[in-house]
Coordinates of all heavy atoms in Angstrom, one line a residue:
M870 N 0.6 -19.7 2.9 CA 0.6 -18.6 3.8 C 0.0 -17.3 3.1 O 0.5 -17.0 2.0 CB 2.0 -18.3 4.4 CG 2.1 -17.1 5.2 SD 3.7 -16.7 5.8 CE 3.9 -17.9 7.0
E871 N -0.8 -16.7 3.8 CA -1.4 -15.4 3.3 C -0.4 -14.3 3.4 O 0.4 -14.2 4.4 CB -2.7 -15.0 4.1 CG -3.4 -13.9 3.5 CD -4.8 -13.7 4.0 OE1 -5.1 -14.2 5.1 OE2 -5.5 -12.9 3.4
K872 N -0.3 -13.4 2.4 CA 0.6 -12.3 2.5 C -0.2 -11.1 3.1 O -1.4 -10.9 2.8 CB 1.0 -11.9 1.1 CG 2.0 -13.0 0.5 CD 2.4 -12.6 -0.9 CE 3.3 -13.6 -1.5 NZ 3.8 -13.3 -2.8
F873 N 0.5 -10.2 3.7 CA 0.0 -9.0 4.4 C 0.8 -7.8 3.8 O 2.0 -7.9 3.7 CB 0.0 -9.0 5.9 CG -1.0 -10.0 6.5 CD1 -0.6 -11.4 6.6 CD2 -2.2 -9.6 7.0 CE1 -1.6 -12.3 7.1 CE2 -3.1 -10.4 7.5 CZ -2.8 -11.8 7.6
I874 N 0.0 -6.8 3.6 CA 0.6 -5.5 3.1 C 0.6 -4.5 4.1 O -0.4 -4.2 4.7 CB -0.2 -5.0 1.8 CG1 -0.4 -6.1 0.7 CG2 0.3 -3.8 1.2 CD1 -1.4 -5.8 -0.3
C875 N 1.8 -3.9 4.4 CA 2.1 -3.0 5.5 C 2.3 -1.6 4.9 O 3.0 -1.4 4.0 CB 3.2 -3.4 6.3 SG 3.5 -2.4 7.7
F876 N 1.8 -0.6 5.7 CA 1.9 0.8 5.4 C 2.2 1.5 6.8 O 1.5 1.3 7.7 CB 0.7 1.5 4.9 CG 0.2 0.8 3.6 CD1 -0.7 -0.2 3.6 CD2 0.8 1.2 2.3 CE1 -1.1 -0.8 2.4 CE2 0.3 0.6 1.2 CZ -0.5 -0.4 1.2
V877 N 3.2 2.5 6.8 CA 3.5 3.2 8.0 C 3.6 4.7 7.5 O 4.4 5.0 6.7 CB 4.8 2.8 8.6 CG1 5.0 3.6 9.9 CG2 4.8 1.3 9.0
S878 N 2.7 5.5 8.0 CA 2.7 6.9 7.7 C 3.3 7.8 8.7 O 3.7 9.0 8.5 CB 1.4 7.4 7.2 OG 0.5 7.4 8.3
D879 N 3.4 7.3 10.0 CA 3.9 8.1 11.1 C 4.2 7.1 12.2 O 3.8 6.0 12.2 CB 2.9 9.2 11.5 CG 3.6 10.3 12.3 OD1 4.8 10.2 12.7 OD2 2.8 11.3 12.5
T880 N 4.9 7.5 13.3 CA 5.3 6.6 14.4 C 4.0 6.0 15.0 O 4.1 4.9 15.5 CB 6.1 7.3 15.4 OG1 5.4 8.5 15.9 CG2 7.5 7.7 14.9
D881 N 2.9 6.6 15.0 CA 1.6 6.2 15.6 C 0.6 5.9 14.6 O -0.7 6.0 14.9 CB 1.2 7.1 16.7 CG 2.1 7.1 17.9 OD1 2.7 6.0 18.1 OD2 2.3 8.2 18.5
D882 N 0.9 5.7 13.3 CA -0.1 5.6 12.2 C 0.4 4.5 11.2 O 1.2 4.8 10.5 CB -0.5 6.9 11.6 CG -1.7 6.8 10.6 OD1 -2.4 5.8 10.8 OD2 -1.9 7.7 9.8
A883 N -0.1 3.3 11.4 CA 0.3 2.2 10.4 C -0.9 1.3 10.3 O -1.9 1.3 11.0 CB 1.4 1.5 11.1
A884 N -0.9 0.6 9.1 CA -1.9 -0.3 8.8 C -1.4 -1.5 8.1 O -0.4 -1.4 7.4 CB -3.1 0.4 8.0
M885 N -1.9 -2.7 8.3 CA -1.5 -3.9 7.6 C -2.9 -4.6 7.1 O -3.7 -4.8 8.0 CB -0.7 -4.8 8.5 CG -0.1 -5.9 7.7 SD 1.3 -6.7 8.5 CE 0.4 -7.5 9.9
Y886 N -2.9 -5.0 5.9 CA -4.1 -5.7 5.3 C -3.7 -7.0 4.7 O -2.6 -7.0 4.1 CB -4.7 -4.8 4.2 CG -5.2 -3.4 4.7 CD1 -4.4 -2.3 4.7 CD2 -6.5 -3.3 5.1 CE1 -4.9 -1.1 5.1 CE2 -7.0 -2.1 5.6 CZ -6.1 -0.9 5.6 OH -6.6 0.3 6.1
P887 N -4.6 -7.9 4.8 CA -4.3 -9.1 3.9 C -4.3 -8.7 2.5 O -5.1 -7.9 2.0 CB -5.5 -10.0 4.2 CG -6.1 -9.5 5.5 CD -5.8 -8.1 5.5
A888 N -3.4 -9.2 1.7 CA -3.3 -9.0 0.2 C -4.7 -9.1 -0.4 O -5.0 -8.3 -1.3 CB -2.3 -9.7 -0.4
G889 N -5.5 -10.1 0.0 CA -6.8 -10.3 -0.6 C -7.8 -9.2 -0.3 O -8.8 -9.2 -0.9
N890 N -7.5 -8.3 0.6 CA -8.4 -7.2 0.9 C -8.2 -6.0 -0.1 O -8.9 -5.0 -0.1 CB -8.3 -6.7 2.3 CG -9.0 -7.5 3.3 OD1 -9.5 -8.6 3.0 ND2 -9.2 -7.0 4.6
L891 N -7.1 -6.0 -0.9 CA -6.9 -5.0 -1.9 C -7.9 -5.0 -2.9 O -8.1 -6.0 -3.6 CB -5.5 -5.1 -2.5 CG -5.1 -4.2 -3.6 CD1 -5.1 -2.7 -3.1 CD2 -3.7 -4.6 -4.2
R892 N -8.6 -3.9 -3.1 CA -9.7 -3.8 -4.2 C -9.2 -3.3 -5.4 O -9.7 -3.6 -6.5 CB -10.9 -3.0 -3.7 CG -11.6 -3.5 -2.4 CD -12.3 -4.9 -2.6 NE -11.3 -5.9 -2.9 CZ -11.6 -7.2 -2.9 NH1 -12.7 -7.6 -2.8 NH2 -10.7 -8.1 -3.1
G893 N -8.2 -2.4 -5.4 CA -7.6 -1.8 -6.6 C -6.8 -0.6 -6.4 O -6.7 -0.1 -5.3
L894 N -6.1 -0.2 -7.4 CA -5.3 1.0 -7.4 C -5.8 1.9 -8.6 O -6.2 1.4 -9.6 CB -3.9 0.7 -7.7 CG -3.0 0.0 -6.6 CD1 -3.3 -1.5 -6.6 CD2 -1.6 0.2 -6.8
A895 N -5.8 3.2 -8.3 CA -6.2 4.2 -9.4 C -5.4 5.4 -9.3 O -5.0 5.8 -8.1 CB -7.6 4.5 -9.2
V896 N -5.0 6.0 -10.4 CA -4.3 7.2 -10.5 C -5.5 8.3 -10.4 O -6.3 8.3 -11.3 CB -3.5 7.4 -11.7 CG1 -2.9 8.9 -11.8 CG2 -2.4 6.4 -11.8
T897 N -5.5 9.1 -9.3 CA -6.7 9.9 -9.1 C -6.3 11.4 -9.3 O -7.2 12.3 -9.4 CB -7.2 9.8 -7.7 OG1 -6.1 10.1 -6.7 CG2 -7.8 8.4 -7.4
A898 N -5.0 11.7 -9.5 CA -4.5 13.0 -9.8 C -3.0 12.9 -10.2 O -2.4 11.9 -10.0 CB -4.7 14.0 -8.6
E899 N -2.4 13.9 -10.7 CA -1.1 14.0 -11.0 C -0.3 13.6 -9.7 O -0.4 14.2 -8.7 CB -0.6 15.4 -11.5 CG 0.9 15.5 -11.8 CD 1.2 14.8 -13.1 OE1 0.4 14.7 -14.0 OE2 2.4 14.3 -13.2
S900 N 0.6 12.6 -9.8 CA 1.5 12.1 -8.7 C 0.8 11.5 -7.6 O 1.3 11.3 -6.5 CB 2.3 13.3 -8.2 OG 3.0 13.9 -9.2
T901 N -0.5 11.0 -7.8 CA -1.3 10.4 -6.7 C -1.9 9.1 -7.1 O -2.6 9.1 -8.1 CB -2.5 11.4 -6.3 OG1 -1.8 12.7 -6.0 CG2 -3.2 10.9 -5.1
I902 N -1.7 8.1 -6.3 CA -2.2 6.8 -6.5 C -3.1 6.4 -5.3 O -2.6 6.5 -4.1 CB -1.2 5.7 -6.7 CG1 -0.2 6.0 -7.9 CG2 -1.8 4.3 -6.8 CD1 1.0 5.1 -8.0
L903 N -4.3 6.0 -5.5 CA -5.2 5.6 -4.4 C -5.3 4.1 -4.4 O -5.8 3.5 -5.4 CB -6.6 6.3 -4.6 CG -7.5 6.1 -3.5 CD1 -7.2 6.9 -2.3 CD2 -9.0 6.5 -3.9
M904 N -4.9 3.5 -3.2 CA -5.1 2.1 -3.1 C -6.4 1.9 -2.2 O -6.4 2.6 -1.1 CB -3.9 1.5 -2.4 CG -2.6 1.6 -3.2 SD -1.2 0.8 -2.3 CE -1.7 -0.9 -2.6
T905 N -7.3 1.1 -2.6 CA -8.5 0.8 -1.8 C -8.6 -0.5 -1.3 O -8.3 -1.5 -2.0 CB -9.7 1.1 -2.8 OG1 -9.6 2.4 -3.3 CG2 -11.0 1.0 -2.0
F906 N -9.0 -0.7 0.0 CA -9.0 -2.0 0.7 C -10.4 -2.2 1.3 O -11.0 -1.2 1.7 CB -8.0 -2.0 1.8 CG -6.6 -2.0 1.3 CD1 -5.9 -0.8 1.1 CD2 -5.8 -3.1 1.1 CE1 -4.6 -0.7 0.6 CE2 -4.6 -3.1 0.6 CZ -3.9 -1.9 0.4
N907 N -10.8 -3.4 1.5 CA -11.9 -3.7 2.3 C -11.5 -3.3 3.7 O -10.4 -3.5 4.2 CB -12.2 -5.2 2.4 CG -12.7 -5.7 1.0 OD1 -13.3 -5.0 0.2 ND2 -12.5 -7.1 0.9
S908 N -12.4 -2.5 4.4 CA -12.1 -2.0 5.7 C -12.0 -3.1 6.8 O -12.9 -4.0 6.7 CB -13.1 -1.0 6.1 OG -12.8 -0.5 7.4
F909 N -11.1 -3.1 7.6 CA -11.0 -4.1 8.7 C -11.8 -3.6 9.9 O -12.0 -4.3 10.9 CB -9.6 -4.5 9.1 CG -8.8 -3.3 9.6 CD1 -8.8 -3.0 11.0 CD2 -8.0 -2.5 8.8 CE1 -8.0 -2.0 11.5 CE2 -7.3 -1.5 9.2 CZ -7.3 -1.2 10.6
R910 N -12.2 -2.3 9.9 CA -12.8 -1.7 11.1 C -14.4 -1.6 10.9 O -15.0 -1.4 12.0 CB -12.2 -0.2 11.2 CG -10.8 -0.3 11.5 CD -10.2 1.2 11.6 NE -10.8 1.9 12.6 CZ -10.4 3.2 12.9 NH1 -9.6 3.7 12.1 NH2 -11.0 3.8 13.9
N911 N -14.9 -1.7 9.7 CA -16.3 -1.4 9.6 C -17.0 -2.5 8.7 O -16.5 -3.5 8.5 CB -16.5 0.0 9.0 CG -16.0 1.1 9.9 OD1 -16.5 1.2 11.0 ND2 -14.9 1.7 9.6
S912 N -18.1 -2.1 8.3 CA -19.0 -3.1 7.5 C -18.3 -3.6 6.2 O -17.3 -3.0 5.8 CB -20.3 -2.4 7.2 OG -20.1 -1.5 6.1
A913 N -18.9 -4.6 5.7 CA -18.4 -5.3 4.4 C -18.3 -4.3 3.3 O -17.5 -4.5 2.4 CB -19.1 -6.5 4.1
N914 N -19.1 -3.2 3.3 CA -19.1 -2.4 2.1 C -18.2 -1.2 2.3 O -18.0 -0.4 1.4 CB -20.5 -1.8 1.9 CG -21.5 -3.0 1.4 OD1 -21.0 -3.9 0.7 ND2 -22.7 -2.9 1.8
A915 N -17.6 -1.0 3.5 CA -16.7 0.1 3.8 C -15.4 -0.1 3.1 O -14.9 -1.2 3.0 CB -16.6 0.3 5.3
R916 N -14.7 1.0 2.8 CA -13.4 0.9 2.2 C -12.4 1.8 3.0 O -12.7 3.0 3.2 CB -13.4 1.3 0.7 CG -14.3 0.5 -0.2 CD -13.8 -0.9 -0.4 NE -14.5 -1.7 -1.3 CZ -15.4 -2.7 -0.9 NH1 -15.5 -3.1 0.4 NH2 -16.1 -3.4 -1.8
D917 N -11.2 1.3 3.2 CA -10.1 2.0 3.7 C -9.3 2.5 2.5 O -9.3 1.7 1.5 CB -9.3 1.3 4.7 CG -10.0 1.0 6.0 OD1 -11.0 1.6 6.3 OD2 -9.4 0.1 6.7
T918 N -8.6 3.6 2.6 CA -7.7 4.0 1.4 C -6.3 4.3 1.9 O -6.2 4.8 3.0 CB -8.3 5.2 0.7 OG1 -8.5 6.3 1.5 CG2 -9.6 4.9 0.0
V919 N -5.4 4.0 1.0 CA -4.0 4.5 1.3 C -3.6 5.3 0.0 O -3.8 4.9 -1.1 CB -3.0 3.3 1.4 CG1 -1.6 3.8 1.4 CG2 -3.4 2.5 2.6
T920 N -3.3 6.6 0.3 CA -2.9 7.5 -0.8 C -1.4 7.5 -1.0 O -0.7 7.9 0.1 CB -3.5 8.9 -0.6 OG1 -4.9 8.8 -0.5 CG2 -3.1 9.8 -1.8
L921 N -0.9 7.1 -2.1 CA 0.6 7.2 -2.3 C 0.9 8.5 -3.1 O 0.3 8.6 -4.2 CB 1.0 6.0 -3.1 CG 0.8 4.6 -2.4 CD1 1.2 3.6 -3.4 CD2 1.6 4.5 -1.2
T922 N 1.8 9.3 -2.7 CA 2.3 10.3 -3.5 C 3.6 9.9 -4.2 O 4.5 9.3 -3.5 CB 2.5 11.6 -2.6 OG1 1.3 11.9 -1.9 CG2 2.9 12.8 -3.5
C923 N 3.7 10.2 -5.5 CA 4.9 9.7 -6.1 C 5.4 10.8 -7.2 O 4.7 11.8 -7.4 CB 4.6 8.4 -6.9 SG 3.4 8.4 -8.1
T924 N 6.5 10.6 -7.7 CA 7.0 11.4 -8.8 C 6.1 11.5 -10.0 O 5.5 10.5 -10.3 CB 8.4 10.9 -9.2 OG1 9.3 10.7 -8.1 CG2 9.0 11.8 -10.3
A925 N 5.9 12.7 -10.5 CA 5.0 12.9 -11.7 C 5.4 11.9 -12.8 O 6.6 11.7 -13.1 CB 5.0 14.3 -12.1
D926 N 4.4 11.4 -13.4 CA 4.5 10.5 -14.6 C 5.2 9.2 -14.3 O 5.6 8.4 -15.1 CB 5.2 11.2 -15.7 CG 4.5 12.4 -16.2 OD1 3.2 12.4 -16.1 OD2 5.2 13.4 -16.4
K927 N 5.2 8.8 -13.0 CA 5.8 7.5 -12.6 C 4.8 6.6 -12.0 O 5.1 5.6 -11.4 CB 7.0 7.7 -11.6 CG 8.1 8.4 -12.2 CD 8.8 7.6 -13.3 CE 10.0 8.4 -13.9 NZ 10.7 7.5 -14.8
E928 N 3.6 7.0 -12.0 CA 2.4 6.3 -11.4 C 2.4 4.8 -11.9 O 2.2 3.9 -11.1 CB 1.1 7.0 -11.7 CG 1.0 8.3 -11.1 CD 1.5 9.4 -12.0 OE1 2.0 9.1 -13.1 OE2 1.3 10.6 -11.6
K929 N 2.5 4.6 -13.2 CA 2.4 3.3 -13.7 C 3.6 2.4 -13.2 O 3.4 1.2 -12.8 CB 2.4 3.3 -15.3 CG 2.2 1.9 -15.9 CD 2.3 1.9 -17.4 CE 2.2 0.5 -17.9 NZ 2.8 0.3 -19.3
A930 N 4.7 2.9 -13.2 CA 5.9 2.2 -12.7 C 5.7 1.8 -11.3 O 6.1 0.7 -10.8 CB 7.1 3.0 -12.9
V931 N 5.2 2.7 -10.4 CA 4.9 2.4 -9.1 C 3.9 1.3 -8.9 O 4.0 0.4 -8.1 CB 4.4 3.7 -8.3 CG1 3.9 3.4 -6.9 CG2 5.6 4.7 -8.2
M932 N 2.8 1.4 -9.7 CA 1.7 0.3 -9.6 C 2.3 -1.0 -10.1 O 2.0 -2.0 -9.5 CB 0.5 0.8 -10.4 CG -0.2 1.9 -9.9 SD -1.8 2.3 -10.6 CE -1.4 2.8 -12.3
E933 N 3.1 -1.0 -11.1 CA 3.8 -2.3 -11.5 C 4.6 -2.9 -10.3 O 4.6 -4.0 -10.1 CB 4.6 -2.1 -12.8 CG 3.8 -1.9 -14.0 CD 4.7 -1.5 -15.2 OE1 5.9 -1.3 -15.0 OE2 4.1 -1.5 -16.3
A934 N 5.4 -2.0 -9.7 CA 6.3 -2.5 -8.6 C 5.4 -3.1 -7.4 O 5.8 -4.1 -6.8 CB 7.1 -1.3 -8.1
I935 N 4.3 -2.4 -7.2 CA 3.5 -3.0 -6.1 C 2.9 -4.3 -6.5 O 3.0 -5.3 -5.6 CB 2.3 -2.0 -5.8 CG1 2.8 -0.7 -5.1 CG2 1.2 -2.6 -4.9 CD1 1.9 0.5 -5.1
A936 N 2.4 -4.5 -7.7 CA 1.9 -5.8 -8.2 C 3.0 -6.8 -8.1 O 2.7 -8.0 -7.7 CB 1.3 -5.6 -9.6
Q937 N 4.2 -6.5 -8.6 CA 5.3 -7.5 -8.6 C 5.6 -7.9 -7.2 O 5.9 -9.1 -6.9 CB 6.5 -6.9 -9.3 CG 6.3 -6.8 -10.8 CD 7.4 -5.9 -11.5 OE1 8.2 -5.4 -10.9 NE2 7.3 -5.9 -12.9
K938 N 5.7 -7.0 -6.2 CA 6.0 -7.2 -4.9 C 5.0 -8.2 -4.2 O 5.3 -9.1 -3.5 CB 6.2 -6.0 -4.0 CG 6.7 -6.1 -2.7 CD 8.2 -6.3 -2.7 CE 8.8 -6.0 -1.4 NZ 10.3 -6.1 -1.4
I939 N 3.7 -7.9 -4.5 CA 2.6 -8.7 -3.9 C 2.7 -10.1 -4.4 O 2.5 -11.1 -3.7 CB 1.3 -8.0 -4.1 CG1 1.2 -6.8 -3.3 CG2 0.1 -9.0 -3.8 CD1 0.0 -5.8 -3.6
N940 N 3.0 -10.2 -5.7 CA 3.0 -11.5 -6.4 C 4.3 -12.3 -6.3 O 4.4 -13.4 -6.8 CB 2.6 -11.4 -7.9 CG 1.1 -10.9 -7.9 OD1 0.2 -11.6 -7.3 ND2 0.8 -9.9 -8.7
A941 N 5.3 -11.7 -5.8 CA 6.6 -12.3 -5.7 C 6.6 -13.5 -4.8 O 5.8 -13.7 -3.9 CB 7.7 -11.3 -5.2
T942 N 7.5 -14.5 -5.2 CA 7.7 -15.7 -4.3 C 9.2 -15.8 -4.0 O 10.0 -15.2 -4.6 CB 7.2 -16.9 -5.2 OG1 7.9 -17.0 -6.3 CG2 5.6 -16.8 -5.5
G943 N 9.4 -16.7 -3.1 CA 10.8 -17.0 -2.7 C 11.0 -16.9 -1.3 O 10.1 -16.4 -0.6
P944 N 12.1 -17.3 -0.8 CA 12.4 -17.3 0.7 C 12.3 -16.0 1.3 O 11.9 -15.9 2.5 CB 13.7 -18.0 0.8 CG 14.4 -17.8 -0.6 CD 13.3 -17.8 -1.6
Q945 N 12.6 -14.9 0.7 CA 12.6 -13.6 1.2 C 11.2 -13.2 1.5 O 11.0 -12.2 2.3 CB 13.3 -12.5 0.4 CG 12.6 -12.2 -0.9 CD 13.1 -13.1 -2.1 OE1 13.3 -14.3 -1.9 NE2 13.2 -12.6 -3.2
Y946 N 10.2 -13.9 1.0 CA 8.8 -13.5 1.3 C 8.1 -14.5 2.1 O 6.9 -14.6 2.2 CB 8.0 -13.4 -0.1 CG 8.7 -12.3 -0.9 CD1 9.4 -12.7 -2.0 CD2 8.6 -11.0 -0.6 CE1 10.1 -11.7 -2.8 CE2 9.2 -10.0 -1.4 CZ 10.0 -10.5 -2.5 OH 10.5 -9.5 -3.3
S947 N 8.8 -15.5 2.7 CA 8.2 -16.6 3.4 C 7.5 -16.2 4.7 O 6.7 -16.9 5.2 CB 9.3 -17.6 3.8 OG 10.3 -17.0 4.7
D948 N 7.7 -14.9 5.2 CA 7.0 -14.5 6.4 C 5.7 -13.8 6.0 O 4.9 -13.5 6.9 CB 7.9 -13.5 7.3 CG 8.2 -12.2 6.5 OD1 7.9 -12.1 5.4 OD2 8.9 -11.4 7.2
G949 N 5.5 -13.6 4.7 CA 4.2 -13.0 4.3 C 4.0 -11.6 4.6 O 2.9 -11.0 4.4
F950 N 5.1 -10.9 5.0 CA 5.1 -9.5 5.4 C 5.7 -8.6 4.3 O 6.8 -8.7 3.9 CB 5.8 -9.3 6.7 CG 5.8 -7.9 7.2 CD1 4.6 -7.5 7.9 CD2 6.9 -7.1 7.2 CE1 4.6 -6.2 8.5 CE2 6.8 -5.8 7.7 CZ 5.7 -5.4 8.4
I951 N 4.9 -7.7 3.7 CA 5.3 -6.8 2.5 C 5.1 -5.4 2.9 O 4.0 -5.0 3.1 CB 4.5 -7.2 1.3 CG1 4.5 -8.6 0.9 CG2 4.9 -6.2 0.1 CD1 3.5 -9.1 -0.1
V952 N 6.3 -4.7 3.0 CA 6.1 -3.2 3.2 C 6.1 -2.6 1.9 O 7.0 -2.6 1.1 CB 7.4 -2.7 4.0 CG1 7.3 -1.2 4.2 CG2 7.5 -3.4 5.4
I953 N 4.9 -1.9 1.7 CA 4.8 -1.1 0.4 C 5.4 0.4 0.6 O 6.0 0.9 -0.2 CB 3.3 -1.0 0.1 CG1 2.7 -2.3 -0.2 CG2 3.1 0.0 -1.1 CD1 3.4 -3.1 -1.4
A954 N 5.0 0.9 1.8 CA 5.6 2.3 2.1 C 5.7 2.5 3.6 O 4.7 2.2 4.3 CB 4.6 3.3 1.5
D955 N 6.8 3.1 4.0 CA 7.1 3.4 5.4 C 7.7 4.8 5.4 O 8.9 4.9 5.1 CB 8.0 2.4 6.0 CG 8.2 2.5 7.5 OD1 8.1 3.7 8.0 OD2 8.6 1.6 8.2
D956 N 6.9 5.8 5.8 CA 7.4 7.2 5.8 C 8.4 7.4 7.0 O 9.2 8.3 6.9 CB 6.2 8.2 6.0 CG 5.6 8.5 4.7 OD1 6.1 8.2 3.6 OD2 4.4 9.1 4.7
V957 N 8.3 6.6 8.0 CA 9.2 6.7 9.2 C 10.6 6.4 8.8 O 11.6 7.0 9.1 CB 8.7 6.0 10.4 CG1 9.7 6.0 11.5 CG2 7.3 6.5 10.8
T958 N 10.8 5.2 8.1 CA 12.1 4.8 7.7 C 12.5 5.1 6.3 O 13.6 4.8 5.8 CB 12.3 3.3 7.9 OG1 11.3 2.6 7.0 CG2 12.0 2.8 9.3
S959 N 11.6 5.8 5.6 CA 11.8 6.1 4.2 C 12.0 4.9 3.3 O 12.9 4.8 2.4 CB 12.9 7.1 3.9 OG 12.6 8.4 4.6
T960 N 11.3 3.8 3.6 CA 11.4 2.5 2.8 C 10.1 2.4 2.0 O 9.0 2.5 2.4 CB 11.4 1.3 3.8 OG1 12.5 1.5 4.7 CG2 11.5 0.0 3.1
Y961 N 10.4 2.3 0.7 CA 9.3 2.2 -0.3 C 9.5 1.1 -1.3 O 10.7 0.9 -1.6 CB 9.1 3.5 -1.0 CG 9.0 4.7 -0.1 CD1 10.0 5.6 0.2 CD2 7.7 4.9 0.6 CE1 9.9 6.6 1.0 CE2 7.6 6.0 1.5 CZ 8.7 6.9 1.7 OH 8.5 7.8 2.6
V962 N 8.4 0.5 -1.8 CA 8.6 -0.6 -2.8 C 9.2 -0.1 -4.1 O 9.6 -0.8 -4.9 CB 7.2 -1.3 -3.0 CG1 6.2 -0.4 -3.6 CG2 7.3 -2.6 -3.7
H963 N 9.0 1.3 -4.3 CA 9.6 1.9 -5.5 C 10.2 3.3 -5.1 O 9.6 3.9 -4.3 CB 8.5 2.2 -6.5 CG 8.9 2.5 -7.9 ND1 9.2 3.8 -8.2 CD2 9.1 1.7 -9.0 CE1 9.6 3.8 -9.5 NE2 9.6 2.6 -10.0
P964 N 11.4 3.6 -5.7 CA 12.0 4.8 -5.3 C 11.3 6.1 -5.7 O 11.6 7.2 -5.1 CB 13.4 4.8 -6.1 CG 13.1 3.8 -7.2 CD 12.1 2.8 -6.7
D965 N 10.2 6.1 -6.5 CA 9.5 7.2 -6.8 C 8.3 7.5 -5.9 O 7.6 8.5 -6.1 CB 9.0 7.2 -8.3 CG 10.2 7.5 -9.2 OD1 10.8 8.5 -9.1 OD2 10.4 6.6 -10.1
I966 N 8.1 6.6 -4.9 CA 7.1 7.0 -3.9 C 7.7 7.9 -2.9 O 8.8 7.7 -2.5 CB 6.7 5.7 -3.1 CG1 6.0 4.7 -4.1 CG2 5.7 6.1 -2.0 CD1 5.6 3.3 -3.5
T967 N 7.0 9.0 -2.6 CA 7.6 10.0 -1.7 C 6.9 10.2 -0.4 O 7.5 10.6 0.6 CB 7.6 11.4 -2.4 OG1 6.2 11.7 -2.8 CG2 8.4 11.5 -3.7
S968 N 5.6 9.7 -0.3 CA 4.9 9.8 1.0 C 3.5 9.0 0.9 O 3.1 8.7 -0.3 CB 4.6 11.2 1.4 OG 3.7 11.8 0.6
I969 N 3.0 8.8 2.0 CA 1.6 8.1 2.0 C 0.8 8.7 3.1 O 1.2 9.4 4.0 CB 1.8 6.6 2.4 CG1 2.2 6.3 3.8 CG2 2.7 5.9 1.4 CD1 2.0 5.0 4.3
T970 N -0.6 8.5 2.9 CA -1.6 8.9 3.9 C -2.5 7.7 4.0 O -3.0 7.1 2.9 CB -2.3 10.1 3.4 OG1 -1.4 11.2 3.2 CG2 -3.4 10.5 4.4
I971 N -2.9 7.4 5.2 CA -3.9 6.3 5.4 C -5.2 6.9 5.9 O -5.2 7.7 6.8 CB -3.4 5.3 6.5 CG1 -2.0 4.8 6.1 CG2 -4.4 4.2 6.8 CD1 -1.2 4.0 7.3
A972 N -6.3 6.4 5.3 CA -7.6 6.9 5.7 C -8.5 5.7 6.0 O -8.7 4.9 5.1 CB -8.3 7.8 4.6
Y973 N -9.1 5.7 7.1 CA -10.0 4.5 7.5 C -11.5 4.9 7.3 O -11.8 6.0 7.5 CB -9.8 4.2 9.0 CG -8.3 3.9 9.3 CD1 -7.5 4.9 9.9 CD2 -7.7 2.7 8.9 CE1 -6.2 4.6 10.2 CE2 -6.4 2.4 9.2 CZ -5.6 3.4 9.8 OH -4.3 3.1 10.1
A974 N -12.2 3.9 6.9 CA -13.6 4.2 6.7 C -14.3 4.6 8.1 O -13.8 4.0 9.1 CB -14.2 2.9 6.2
S975 N -15.2 5.5 8.0 CA -15.8 5.9 9.3 C -17.1 5.1 9.6 O -17.6 4.4 8.8 CB -16.0 7.4 9.3 OG -16.8 7.7 8.2

């Protein structure tokens, strides 16, 4: 079963990507991690991004937690649904994530 990665930034703003669409993660500024995905809305070369804001100097720990969650196995992951960040319910894969922003390729 394919795993899907879910993000919720507001009650009317959410996205879910197949884990295989993840292109990478990068620390782009202090307390900022950029996750890049193949866009589901546009051409093959377009990229959607999810920006995670986290506690300063915890970027590596957050990236490790994301990788571990995506690669985890067991019955709790049998539905293939992985919430990385949900600002509405304050549910995050790591306690140092504080907020997210989703940007779709135009």
Side-chain angles (χ1 to χ4, degrees):
M870 172 184 287
E871 186 169 15
K872 293 182 181 181
F873 287 84
I874 304 168
C875 180
F876 304 93
V877 180
S878 64
D879 202 349
T880 54
D881 293 324
D882 191 14
M885 187 164 70
Y886 297 91
N890 279 16
L891 177 63
R892 298 293 69 169
L894 288 82
V896 176
T897 57
E899 180 72 29
S900 305
T901 304
I902 299 169
L903 186 69
M904 297 182 73
T905 305
F906 295 88
N907 292 337
S908 178
F909 63 89
R910 296 173 64 179
N911 295 295
S912 73
N914 294 327
R916 301 288 184 253
D917 295 343
T918 58
V919 175
T920 303
L921 302 173
T922 303
C923 63
T924 306
D926 301 322
K927 297 295 183 177
E928 298 89 353
K929 181 181 177 201
V931 169
M932 290 191 296
E933 286 175 354
I935 292 168
Q937 289 169 353
K938 188 77 161 185
I939 291 170
N940 291 312
T942 59
Q945 68 272 35
Y946 303 106
S947 63
D948 64 359
F950 185 76
I951 302 166
V952 176
I953 299 296
D955 183 337
D956 278 349
V957 174
T958 63
S959 298
T960 303
Y961 305 104
V962 71
H963 191 278
D965 284 305
I966 297 173
T967 58
S968 67
I969 68 161
T970 304
I971 303 167
Y973 304 102
S975 53

